[in-house]
């Protein structure tokens, strides 16, 4: 009998790859996505020819609606919760919407699992933003990047320090996920993810910055570099992340209540300035202006992946230059679609997919 999985935000970027992977690897997949994010309807249509799944256009804020999905499709062996409001800038403009999608939506999912799938695994896509601006960590700098002075990465023992409404809503959800393992015995796992990038990523200015820079440069659109451009991030190719989800599904019970920082690690870091220079060498030249630092911007974030490597045998295998070359190729091959997508207007929705 096939194992059953529910993927919320299954028509988003990470959701697209996750739905395709698990469907092709023997899982019976149900997808929840209200298709409010620009690009999600396109991703859903692409998935129909590449995966087998059942789609529900339910909003994660709709608790009765989510319970009905569990009643029809469950019990689930695993729930992969990706649906979220994903942009810091959007959270500043509309913090109530941000809270309802990220915090309340996650609580709704946890309650559904507690009532209808209590033995199932609950995987939550959290964020490095739960650690705040990391202002106490000393930095050193070069002409192109900042770096931590005393460490190569942030580990799970780092104190939480929510900064920005987005950090607060995701951090609240992160802690609910952790506590439902302690109080109710659910098999939950938190992945505090860094910068994820890859093909099928319809990046925009306030979310998915690597893909956005490549798309904008390819289409001749201007971009804004916030701050001084030396802020450093570790980049993780999407297939490496989905492989981690699969490992977690095979080891879920012993991971109950686990928290893992997940990113490309120090070997796969780039600053904004370095990305611009790399793209220029690949023939993708950008027109850009400058803007002020945004709320909660971290000068540096690099994930210490050693816990995931030690406990799951996982580490990234796709290097940053290889990944960027793959993404550039995908963007060039899909230029007409991307141009049309950016020209289309969609109303601001809720429960958007990652």
């Amino acid at each position: 009998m096939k194992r059953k999985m529910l993927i919320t935000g299954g028509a988003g970027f990470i959701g697209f790859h996750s739905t395709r992977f698990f469907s092709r690897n023997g899982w019976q997949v149900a997808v929840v996505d209200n298709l409010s994010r620009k690009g999600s309807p396109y991703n859903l249509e692409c998935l129909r020819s590449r995966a087998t799944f059942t789609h529900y256009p339910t909003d994660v804020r709709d608790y009765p609606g989510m319970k009905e999905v569990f009643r029809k499709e469950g019990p689930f062996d695993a729930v992969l919760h990706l649906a979220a409001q994903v942009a810091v800038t959007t959270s500043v403009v509309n913090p109530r919407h941000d809270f309802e999608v990220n915090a309340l939506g996650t609580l709704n999912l946890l309650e559904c699992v507690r009532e209808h799938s209590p033995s199932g695994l609950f995987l939550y896509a959290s964020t490095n933003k739960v650690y705040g601006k990391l202002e106490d960590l000393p930095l050193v700098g070069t002409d192109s990047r900042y770096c931590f002075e005393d460490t190569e990465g942030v580990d799970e023992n780092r104190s939480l320090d929510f900064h920005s409404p987005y950090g607060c809503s995701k951090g609240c959800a992160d802690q609910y996920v952790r506590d439902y393992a302690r109080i109710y015995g659910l098999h939950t796992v938190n992945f505090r993810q860094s910068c994820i990038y890859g093909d099928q990523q319809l990046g925009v200015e306030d979310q998915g910055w690597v893909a956005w820079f490549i798309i904008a440069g390819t289409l001749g659109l201007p971009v804004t570099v916030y701050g001084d451009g030396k802020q450093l991030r570790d980049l993780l190719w999407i297939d490496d992340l989905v492989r981690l989800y699969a490992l977690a599904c095979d080891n879920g019970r012993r991971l109950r209540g686990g928290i893992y920082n997940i990113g490309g690690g120090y070997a796969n870091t780039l600053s904004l300035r370095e990305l611009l220079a790399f793209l220029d060498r690949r023939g993708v030249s950008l027109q850009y202006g400058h803007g002020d630092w945004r709320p909660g911007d971290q000068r540096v974030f690099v994930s210490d992946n050693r816990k995931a490597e030690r406990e799951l045998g996982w580490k990234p295998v796709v290097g940053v230059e290889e990944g960027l070359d793959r993404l550039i190729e995908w963007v060039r091959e899909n230029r007409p679609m991307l141009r049309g997508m950016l020209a289309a207007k969609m109303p601001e929705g809720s429960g958007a997919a990652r």
Side-chain angles (χ1 to χ4, degrees):
M1 182 180 295
K2 285 187 174 183
R3 290 183 288 177
K4 291 185 177 182
M5 175 176 285
L6 174 67
I7 303 178
T8 70
F13 162 53
I14 298 176
F16 174 93
H17 288 272
S18 300
T19 299
R20 183 177 62 179
F21 176 89
F22 285 105
S23 173
R24 290 178 174 180
N25 284 275
W27 289 75
Q28 181 178 324
V29 177
V31 165
V32 165
D33 198 306
N34 68 1
L35 306 181
S36 63
R37 183 172 172 81
K38 184 183 290 188
S40 293
Y42 170 79
N43 281 347
L44 187 71
E45 288 308 307
C46 289
L47 273 173
R48 294 193 188 283
S49 63
R50 306 179 193 186
T52 301
F53 61 95
T54 304
H55 171 237
Y56 291 87
T58 310
D59 192 309
V60 294
R61 298 176 299 174
D62 177 5
Y63 183 45
M66 290 307 306
K67 289 179 68 173
E68 184 66 11
V69 173
F70 274 76
R71 187 190 67 79
K72 287 183 178 180
E73 298 287 339
F76 295 104
D77 298 284
V79 173
L80 175 56
H81 182 31
L82 303 172
Q85 190 297 109
V86 293
V88 172
T89 49
T90 301
S91 79
V92 173
V93 172
N94 194 342
R96 179 176 295 276
H97 168 78
D98 174 81
F99 175 85
E100 289 176 351
V101 176
N102 292 346
L104 178 61
T106 300
L107 180 62
N108 286 343
L109 263 292
L110 287 167
E111 281 291 278
C112 287
V113 171
R114 184 164 76 94
E115 184 174 353
H116 299 286
S117 300
S119 62
L121 178 65
F122 187 93
L123 303 179
Y124 179 56
S126 186
T127 172
N128 63 35
K129 294 297 188 291
V130 301
Y131 296 115
K133 294 183 70 173
L134 306 172
E135 291 175 295
D136 62 304
L137 294 178
L139 303 178
V140 294
T142 69
D143 289 341
S144 65
R145 60 162 58 188
Y146 296 112
C147 298
F148 291 130
E149 183 177 47
D150 300 322
T151 179
E152 288 194 353
V154 176
D155 67 20
E156 296 81 2
N157 295 318
R158 174 76 189 180
S159 296
L160 303 182
D161 182 20
F162 310 152
H163 195 128
S164 80
Y166 172 76
C168 290
S169 66
K170 291 292 286 186
C172 175
D174 177 295
Q175 291 301 285
Y176 264 104
V177 171
R178 183 183 191 186
D179 203 52
Y180 265 60
R182 293 185 293 206
I183 299 300
Y184 300 113
L186 296 189
H187 301 281
T188 71
V189 184
N190 263 327
F191 292 123
R192 293 173 179 165
Q193 298 170 184
S194 192
C195 179
I196 314 301
Y197 73 113
D199 60 286
Q200 211 71 30
Q201 187 173 25
L202 306 172
V204 292
E205 185 174 52
D206 60 357
Q207 196 272 328
W209 65 279
V210 175
W212 167 240
F213 274 34
I214 295 173
I215 291 168
T218 301
L219 299 182
L221 302 174
V223 302
T224 301
V225 174
Y226 294 97
D228 58 17
K230 297 200 295 183
Q231 52 265 52
L232 190 73
R233 298 291 182 269
D234 60 333
L235 311 185
L236 181 65
W237 182 253
I238 180 62
D239 294 343
D240 282 331
L241 178 65
V242 175
R243 182 168 51 85
L244 172 67
Y245 293 159
L247 286 169
C249 287
D250 291 337
N251 294 274
R253 291 189 177 275
R254 69 179 181 85
L255 303 180
R256 185 170 71 187
I259 293 173
Y260 299 90
N261 288 357
I262 300 299
Y266 205 81
N268 296 300
T269 53
L270 274 183
S271 71
L272 272 67
R273 290 188 184 187
E274 290 167 347
L275 176 61
L276 291 169
F278 178 91
L279 295 179
D280 190 62
R281 294 194 297 271
R282 294 298 195 267
V284 182
S285 297
L286 282 92
Q287 308 167 37
Y288 61 90
H290 291 276
D292 291 336
W293 292 96
R294 294 177 295 183
D297 268 351
Q298 299 158 325
R299 297 301 197 269
V300 178
F301 190 90
V302 180
S303 180
D304 183 337
N305 296 324
R306 286 179 294 180
K307 183 179 178 183
E309 183 174 358
R310 183 172 64 250
E311 296 188 6
L312 285 165
W314 175 89
K315 60 182 179 179
V317 297
V318 178
V320 66
E321 290 198 6
E322 177 186 351
L324 289 172
D325 283 336
R326 290 187 193 179
L327 183 51
I328 291 169
E329 181 180 3
W330 180 82
V331 168
R332 286 171 171 166
E333 290 175 351
N334 290 275
R335 191 177 317 187
M337 177 274 292
L338 292 166
R339 190 180 298 279
M341 196 78 66
L342 289 171
K345 299 293 184 182
M346 289 184 67
E348 180 69 23
S350 61
R354 297 178 66 87

